[in-house]
Amino acid sequence: MNFLRGVMGGPSAGPQPSGADTIQKLCDRVASSTLLDDRRDAVRALKSLSKKYRLEVGIQAMEHLIHVLQTDRSDSEIIGYALDTLYNVISNDLEEEEQEENSAKQVDDLGSQFTEIFIKQQENVTLLLTLVEEFDFHVRWPGVKLLTSLLKQQGPQVQQIILVSPMGVSRLMDLLADSREVIRNDGVLLLQQLTKSNAAIQKIVAFENAFERLLDIITEEGNSDGGIVVEDCLLLLQNLLKNNNSNQNFFKEGSYIQRMKPWFEVGDDNCGWSAQKVTNLHLMLQLVRVLVSPTNPPGATSSCQKAMFHCGLLQQLCTILMATGVPADILTETINTVSEVIRGCQTNQDYFASVNAPSNPPRPAIVVLLMSMVNERQPFVLRCAVLYCFQCFLYKNQKGQGEIVSTLLPSTIDATGNSVSAGQLLCGGLFSTDSLSNWCAAVALAHALQENGTLKEQLLRVQLATSIGNPPVSLLQQCTNILSQGDKIDRRGSKVQTRVGLLMLLCTWLSNCSIAVTHFLHNPANVPFLTGQIAENLGEEEQLVQGLCALLLGISIYYNDNSLENYRKEKLKQLIEKRIGRENFIEKLGFISKHELYSRAAQKPQPSFSSPDHMMFDHEFTKLVKELEGVISKAIYKSSEEDKKEEEVKKTLEQHDNIVTHYKKVIREQDQELEELKQRISTLTSQNEQLQATVTQQVSQIQQHKDQYNLLKVQLGKDSQHHNSHGDTLQMNGLQTEEVSKLKEELEEWKNKHELLQGQLKEKDSVIEKLNSSQLEMGATEQSLQSSRFGGLEHSNELQKELEVLRSQIQLQAAEISKLQMENQKLQVMNTAADPMLGDSGGTAATSSELEARLEQEIKELKSQIKALSEEKESLKQQLDSSTSTVAILQDKNSRLEREVAESKKEQDDLLVLLADQDQKISAQKMKLKDFGVAVEDEDDTESGDQGDEDEDGDEEEQDENAAVCYQEN
């Protein structure tokens, strides 16, 4: 520590050491000291000296500092000092006094050399990436700054090292998620340097969710009202999207375009915008232009344009376009942005045509913009932006071209003069005294005619009133008049600019339009003027005019249909040969493509010029020159015979083209017919599918009705075994006649059964009557009385059994009748439900009505039969009641008979006892008589008599037993 005090300026009696010596001692201390505190203090001292003695510290201490980064990673403080020292050595962000002492070139060389030394060992960059992962603020922040400085000095080399490093880019993406704004913001700056001109890294960063994180940061910071952090995020987004089709597609598919809409929400009060807001909004507009740039693939540009329209971004930009108080540079950039959003997209162009400015009365936005373009008091960049917007509005937009040209035609001009049209503004600018307005109006009108032969012919009808009392002249004639009188008219600006603009308009107008060429050649002053301009030896500025005159004359030859005898192709070529010379003509024609301004204009569609004097060529016109220069050169050298052959070939080609056009038309009509047939087929297919679905549904409903009907039939079969024939399944398209006939048969069966039961009842009644009569005849003898009683009891028992059976049968019959009634009702309901299905399935109305009438009649008959059965049932009940009363009477008679039988049996028993006593007495008397010698009957006779008595006794006993059994049964 004492050593450090001496090094860092402590009191000393001896001479002061120089800066190089001090740095050398500090480096030795870092390398040799064993204590971490000593090394830390030495590195801190090197950090304090690194800004003033940048070269010395870089040469002597870099190796030691790298060693500290490798060995002392456990101490975040010494790592932070080492990183800060390396940053001071490598970075070129010096203070003002240091910049005064050293030139900028020396500073750049020094930082680049130290960077090269550091990255010579790729492990150093890998080590730095590892340190950037540390969460400690004193390590991460210096590491981010050092890596950013390395990328600034040796970007491609460091990018390659990071790219091959495992998870190198992913580690740096974590910086955007850091909660400390300082590290997050410096991480954005680091990624800016990392993604410069490296498509591979740009893709990796994009797929590491960079778009989501950056848009979140912009939203958190307040969109366009945010600070410099928003600006840094927008610059990083531009790096990721510019000239990177993969990232642009990913940005569009990720629905990030929709998140750009809130950026452009401006209020009614647009005064007092801060410089940072203007910068942010400018970058936001540039980011939109990156997505729809004309240099992008057409498919990607078109999809982005559609997305911007559907999410409302284009509408928001048009709102800024028509707003008041918007700064001029923001308005200019907004016009350029809207231009590229609508360029070549019919939907967006149609929407832009419908936008009106908030004026009274409302005017179309395109008219308001053209007013700014032809107003010489407007800024030059704004006028260029409006011209670009008009060009983009007409690009591949024949509908828009027709609307612009229609405002010039006599039938559509507003006679009242209350409103200014786009055509009137273009004509006013074309013939004004401001050369820049002349050029802009000429180029704008040329774009209205681009690749549209019909409008070129219609524009020939435009008539202009030049002065009072003079007849009107055509627009074509007026353009050639101004062209020939260009030097005589006093104009503000370059006279060459006006003539170049008019010549570009005439070349575009006459190209590929023979009728316009004929109108141009019909004026006898035009050809001499062109040949005179080409033949003169003028200055360098006029050479461009000479080249354009040669191009216009060449177009008049190439697209000449030889309808004018004095200006046929051959005569014009002879005129060039005599007045100019073919070689001289071709040389003058070549002045156009060799001009520097021509090369600039050919690079991109947007007209960007440093000054109005450089505004000479239009991008679309350079394409026309490139297309026509070669064919005109060949046409000049062709002979008359070759021209004739070419004419024949052209005619053949035209015929062929006509044939092809005819067949194309036929094919187109057939395609339309095919499309109509396809549509009809698709319609019929859909209808068929619907009908099939309906049929399927009806079939399912019919099947359900079948199942219900079968279930009812099964239930009826379970309840009554008399209906087994109902098991057959019938198709329920309605109640069929077979079903009705079966019901009739069943009713007939029930009638027969009913008649059978009535017969049985009659038989029973006759039996009862017979019993009654037999009861009356009883009493003749005891034997006949007993037999009659026994027969009556037996018949009474049988009658009771038969009555019970009869009751059960009558009950079953009543149940069957009620079930038939229920089935009849259900069949009626099913008949009413089946009627619409029969109508849907295609049955005729007449058949349905006849069937319904028949069913109603048969149902009525069934009801009458059921009613008759119910009446018969009532009569059977009455007969049953009478039979029951008869049975009761018979039972009473039975009981009386039983009592009489019991009494007679008792009397018989008494008689038997008396007989037995008499037998005993008789036998005793016989024995006595034998004892006394009285003759007695033979024994055989006595036995026979006894046998007869025994038989009689046996019969009586058998009758007694039968009577007892009958009594017990009763």
Side-chain angles (χ1 to χ4, degrees):
M1 293 299 290
N2 294 331
F3 167 76
L4 286 174
R5 292 193 191 98
V7 168
M8 299 183 67
S12 177
Q16 295 294 327
S18 64
D21 296 338
T22 304
I23 292 168
Q24 182 61 45
K25 292 178 181 178
L26 290 171
C27 290
D28 293 341
R29 191 68 175 173
V30 171
S32 61
S33 179
T34 57
L35 294 177
L36 180 60
D37 292 340
D38 290 345
R39 293 198 303 276
R40 186 190 304 120
D41 293 336
V43 173
R44 183 171 54 202
L46 286 172
K47 174 188 171 184
S48 62
L49 296 172
S50 58
K51 291 184 179 180
K52 187 175 182 179
Y53 300 100
R54 179 183 177 190
L55 178 61
E56 291 80 0
V57 173
I59 293 173
Q60 299 182 39
M62 181 174 288
E63 185 178 353
H64 300 294
L65 294 172
I66 293 172
H67 187 264
V68 168
L69 295 178
Q70 295 172 345
T71 57
D72 292 331
R73 289 185 57 185
S74 59
D75 186 70
S76 60
E77 192 172 356
I78 191 173
I79 295 295
Y81 292 148
L83 292 172
D84 284 332
T85 306
L86 289 171
Y87 172 75
N88 293 336
V89 169
I90 292 173
S91 176
N92 289 327
D93 301 333
L94 303 177
E95 296 180 356
E96 293 183 0
E97 59 270 13
E98 295 180 42
Q99 292 179 356
E100 292 175 0
E101 294 175 0
N102 304 300
S103 66
K105 185 177 180 180
Q106 292 176 344
V107 168
D108 291 342
D109 290 343
L110 192 60
S112 179
Q113 290 172 4
F114 282 133
T115 301
E116 191 173 351
I117 295 171
F118 183 84
I119 67 174
K120 197 170 186 179
Q121 298 293 330
Q122 295 187 5
E123 294 81 5
N124 296 339
V125 179
T126 306
L127 176 63
L128 190 56
L129 290 173
T130 306
L131 293 174
V132 168
E133 283 188 292
E134 296 290 337
F135 186 75
D136 194 308
F137 180 82
H138 298 288
V139 175
R140 197 171 205 181
W141 187 40
V144 171
K145 292 194 297 181
L146 177 58
L147 192 54
T148 305
S149 183
L150 293 174
L151 286 165
K152 287 181 180 179
Q153 302 298 331
Q154 297 287 340
Q157 293 86 342
V158 180
Q159 285 175 343
Q160 191 61 29
I161 296 172
I162 294 175
L163 190 60
V164 300
S165 176
M167 299 295 291
V169 179
S170 301
R171 297 178 191 177
L172 300 179
M173 284 300 300
D174 294 337
L175 297 173
L176 296 179
D178 200 304
S179 59
R180 295 160 294 192
E181 292 188 2
V182 177
I183 295 178
R184 184 199 67 186
N185 299 342
D186 282 348
V188 174
L189 297 175
L190 170 61
L191 291 173
Q192 278 184 27
Q193 300 298 325
L194 181 64
T195 55
K196 276 185 179 179
S197 304
N198 193 307
I201 294 179
Q202 290 169 3
K203 291 179 183 178
I204 295 173
V205 172
F207 283 95
E208 287 285 346
N209 206 22
F211 293 139
E212 183 77 27
R213 297 182 184 182
L214 292 172
L215 292 174
D216 288 341
I217 294 173
I218 292 173
T219 304
E220 291 172 5
E221 295 292 329
N223 294 328
S224 60
D225 294 324
I228 196 171
V229 178
V230 174
E231 178 183 350
D232 294 336
C233 291
L234 292 170
L235 290 172
L236 177 54
L237 285 172
Q238 283 191 20
N239 285 352
L240 295 174
L241 293 173
K242 196 169 185 178
N243 300 324
N244 194 316
N245 298 330
S246 175
N247 283 1
Q248 290 175 8
N249 189 42
F250 180 69
F251 190 85
K252 177 186 69 68
E253 291 180 352
S255 300
Y256 297 119
I257 291 178
Q258 287 81 338
R259 296 188 60 179
M260 299 170 70
K261 182 186 174 184
W263 296 354
F264 305 102
E265 293 177 355
V266 295
D268 297 332
D269 185 13
N270 295 316
C271 300
W273 283 20
S274 64
Q276 187 62 54
K277 181 173 182 178
V278 172
T279 302
N280 291 343
L281 202 54
H282 198 275
L283 290 172
M284 290 172 178
L285 292 169
Q286 287 182 350
L287 189 62
V288 175
R289 294 185 63 187
V290 165
L291 295 171
V292 293
S293 174
T295 59
N296 294 341
T301 300
S302 176
S303 59
C304 289
Q305 287 172 334
K306 292 177 182 177
M308 290 177 183
F309 173 76
H310 290 302
C311 74
L313 181 58
L314 174 60
Q315 293 84 330
Q316 202 68 44
L317 293 173
C318 291
T319 303
I320 298 176
L321 198 65
M322 296 291 105
T324 57
V326 179
D329 52 347
I330 294 297
L331 181 60
T332 303
E333 190 63 24
T334 303
I335 294 173
N336 289 328
T337 305
V338 171
S339 305
E340 294 184 351
V341 172
I342 68 174
R343 187 177 188 268
C345 182
Q346 188 66 51
T347 305
N348 294 3
Q349 289 168 340
D350 292 343
Y351 170 77
F352 184 71
S354 67
V355 175
N356 290 324
S359 59
N360 191 14
R363 290 177 176 173
I366 195 70
V367 173
V368 175
L369 292 175
L370 287 176
M371 293 173 66
S372 301
M373 185 186 74
V374 298
N375 187 353
E376 55 186 296
R377 290 190 296 271
Q378 292 293 338
F380 172 66
V381 291
L382 179 62
R383 299 174 74 180
C384 291
V386 173
L387 176 62
Y388 183 47
C389 184
F390 191 74
Q391 292 174 352
C392 292
F393 170 67
L394 297 178
Y395 182 72
K396 293 183 179 180
N397 183 12
Q398 293 189 354
K399 179 182 176 183
Q401 288 176 326
E403 291 174 352
I404 297 298
V405 173
S406 66
T407 59
L408 287 167
L409 299 178
S411 59
T412 56
I413 295 178
D414 187 5
T416 61
N418 294 330
S419 61
V420 180
S421 66
Q424 292 172 345
L425 289 171
L426 291 177
C427 285
L430 191 62
F431 306 128
S432 72
T433 57
D434 178 35
S435 60
L436 186 58
S437 297
N438 300 153
W439 190 92
C440 290
V443 171
L445 196 55
H447 275 265
L449 303 175
Q450 198 80 35
E451 298 179 356
N452 199 323
T454 304
L455 295 181
K456 291 177 181 178
E457 296 176 6
Q458 290 184 3
L459 200 63
L460 296 172
R461 297 166 45 204
V462 177
Q463 300 290 321
L464 302 174
T466 55
S467 60
I468 301 175
N470 293 328
V473 297
S474 67
L475 177 61
L476 181 63
Q477 182 63 43
Q478 184 65 15
C479 290
T480 55
N481 292 340
I482 294 174
L483 186 63
S484 60
Q485 300 172 4
D487 295 336
K488 301 177 183 179
I489 301 175
D490 185 18
R491 298 183 184 277
R492 290 179 297 276
S494 173
K495 296 179 181 179
V496 175
Q497 190 176 44
T498 300
R499 298 170 73 185
V500 168
L502 290 171
L503 286 168
M504 286 195 300
L505 173 60
L506 291 172
C507 289
T508 305
W509 195 347
L510 269 61
S511 65
N512 205 17
C513 185
S514 300
I515 299 176
V517 171
T518 303
H519 278 73
F520 178 76
L521 295 176
H522 195 270
N523 187 351
N526 289 338
V527 174
F529 169 74
L530 293 178
T531 56
Q533 289 287 319
I534 299 169
E536 290 182 8
N537 292 320
L538 303 176
E540 185 177 351
E541 291 184 356
E542 296 293 334
Q543 287 181 353
L544 187 57
V545 177
Q546 286 182 320
L548 291 171
C549 288
L551 179 65
L552 183 58
L553 186 57
I555 291 172
S556 302
I557 295 172
Y558 185 73
Y559 292 105
N560 193 346
D561 58 357
N562 294 327
S563 59
L564 296 175
E565 184 63 29
N566 294 330
Y567 296 102
R568 296 173 63 87
K569 286 184 178 182
E570 188 61 29
K571 291 185 177 181
L572 289 175
K573 286 193 282 187
Q574 291 175 1
L575 183 64
I576 291 173
E577 181 68 25
K578 292 178 182 178
R579 298 279 183 90
I580 305 169
R582 293 180 180 178
E583 290 78 8
N584 191 21
F585 180 85
I586 298 300
E587 183 183 356
K588 297 296 177 64
L589 184 62
F591 285 165
I592 302 174
S593 57
K594 294 178 182 178
H595 203 281
E596 180 184 359
L597 297 178
Y598 174 89
S599 301
R600 291 183 184 177
Q603 292 177 358
K604 56 182 180 179
Q606 182 183 359
S608 56
F609 306 100
S610 57
S611 66
D613 295 336
H614 294 163
M615 205 170 191
M616 289 294 176
F617 286 106
D618 173 58
H619 178 75
E620 293 297 327
F621 181 74
T622 59
K623 295 180 180 179
L624 182 66
V625 172
K626 193 179 296 183
E627 178 186 348
L628 294 177
E629 186 177 7
V631 296
I632 291 174
S633 300
K634 292 179 181 178
I636 295 298
Y637 284 101
K638 284 180 181 178
S639 62
S640 59
E641 295 179 357
E642 291 176 346
D643 284 338
K644 289 180 181 179
K645 290 181 180 180
E646 186 177 354
E647 287 295 331
E648 293 177 358
V649 171
K650 279 187 177 180
K651 289 180 181 179
T652 306
L653 289 175
E654 286 178 359
Q655 293 177 358
H656 177 72
D657 290 340
N658 291 334
I659 294 171
V660 171
T661 305
H662 173 69
Y663 281 115
K664 283 183 177 179
K665 185 178 179 181
V666 172
I667 292 170
R668 193 177 299 111
E669 291 175 356
Q670 290 178 351
D671 288 340
Q672 291 178 356
E673 292 177 358
L674 282 174
E675 288 297 327
E676 292 177 358
L677 290 174
K678 286 181 180 179
Q679 291 178 359
R680 289 180 61 188
I681 289 171
S682 62
T683 304
L684 292 173
T685 304
S686 61
Q687 290 178 357
N688 186 24
E689 291 176 354
Q690 292 177 358
L691 291 174
Q692 286 181 353
T694 305
V695 169
T696 306
Q697 184 178 3
Q698 291 178 355
V699 168
S700 64
Q701 290 177 355
I702 290 169
Q703 188 62 39
Q704 290 179 0
H705 292 309
K706 281 183 179 182
D707 296 339
Q708 292 176 359
Y709 181 67
N710 292 332
L711 182 61
L712 290 173
K713 290 175 70 177
V714 169
Q715 289 177 353
L716 289 173
K718 288 182 179 180
D719 294 338
S720 176
Q721 296 179 355
H722 299 286
H723 298 281
N724 294 330
S725 62
H726 286 201
D728 297 331
T729 304
L730 298 179
Q731 185 177 359
M732 287 298 294
N733 290 331
L735 292 175
Q736 304 294 333
T737 55
E738 296 178 358
E739 182 66 26
V740 175
S741 62
K742 286 189 176 183
L743 290 173
K744 286 182 178 180
E745 292 176 358
E746 290 177 358
L747 284 172
E748 291 295 331
E749 291 179 0
W750 285 112
K751 284 182 180 179
N752 296 330
K753 292 180 180 180
H754 182 67
E755 291 176 356
L756 181 63
L757 291 173
Q758 284 182 343
Q760 292 177 356
L761 281 174
K762 289 179 180 179
E763 291 178 357
K764 300 302 177 184
D765 290 336
S766 62
V767 170
I768 291 170
E769 289 177 358
K770 289 179 180 179
L771 288 172
N772 289 330
S773 60
S774 63
Q775 288 289 337
L776 293 175
E777 293 176 355
M778 290 170 58
T781 56
E782 184 177 355
Q783 184 66 31
S784 62
L785 181 62
Q786 289 180 355
S787 62
S788 298
R789 287 177 182 176
F790 291 145
L793 287 174
E794 291 177 356
H795 284 295
S796 177
N797 292 331
E798 291 179 357
L799 184 62
Q800 285 183 352
K801 292 180 181 180
E802 289 179 354
L803 282 174
E804 291 296 328
V805 173
L806 186 62
R807 286 177 183 175
S808 63
Q809 288 180 354
I810 290 171
Q811 290 176 358
L812 289 174
Q813 185 180 13
E816 289 293 334
I817 291 169
S818 63
K819 287 180 182 179
L820 282 173
Q821 289 177 349
M822 292 174 63
E823 184 179 2
N824 187 18
Q825 292 176 358
K826 289 181 181 179
L827 289 174
Q828 287 179 354
V829 173
M830 292 169 68
N831 180 26
T832 55
D835 287 339
M837 289 191 291
L838 288 170
D840 293 339
S841 60
T844 61
T847 305
S848 177
S849 60
E850 290 176 2
L851 181 61
E852 185 176 358
R854 288 174 59 191
L855 289 174
E856 289 179 355
Q857 184 177 0
E858 291 175 354
I859 288 168
K860 289 180 180 179
E861 293 177 357
L862 290 173
K863 286 183 177 179
S864 61
Q865 292 175 359
I866 290 169
K867 185 176 180 182
L869 288 174
S870 61
E871 291 176 355
E872 291 177 357
K873 178 185 174 184
E874 292 295 329
S875 62
L876 287 173
K877 283 184 179 180
Q878 293 176 0
Q879 293 176 3
L880 182 64
D881 293 337
S882 62
S883 299
T884 306
S885 61
T886 304
V887 169
I889 294 169
L890 290 174
Q891 286 180 352
D892 292 337
K893 290 180 179 181
N894 234 352
S895 58
R896 285 201 303 271
L897 290 173
E898 287 175 356
R899 287 197 295 273
E900 291 176 357
V901 167
E903 289 176 357
S904 60
K905 187 178 181 180
K906 185 176 179 183
E907 291 175 356
Q908 191 177 17
D909 290 338
D910 293 337
L911 289 174
L912 289 173
V913 172
L914 290 174
L915 289 173
D917 292 337
Q918 288 177 358
D919 286 339
Q920 288 177 0
K921 288 178 179 180
I922 289 170
S923 59
Q925 291 295 330
K926 282 181 177 182
M927 291 297 291
K928 287 180 179 180
L929 289 174
K930 285 179 179 181
D931 292 338
F932 290 113
V934 179
V936 186
E937 295 179 353
D938 293 335
E939 190 175 356
D940 296 327
D941 295 334
T942 304
E943 288 177 358
S944 61
D946 294 335
Q947 184 67 35
D949 294 335
E950 287 175 2
D951 293 335
E952 186 178 356
D953 294 337
D955 292 334
E956 289 176 358
E957 288 176 2
E958 185 177 357
Q959 290 177 356
D960 294 338
E961 288 175 1
N962 290 333
V965 170
C966 292
Y967 182 77
Q968 290 176 358
E969 286 178 356
N970 292 329

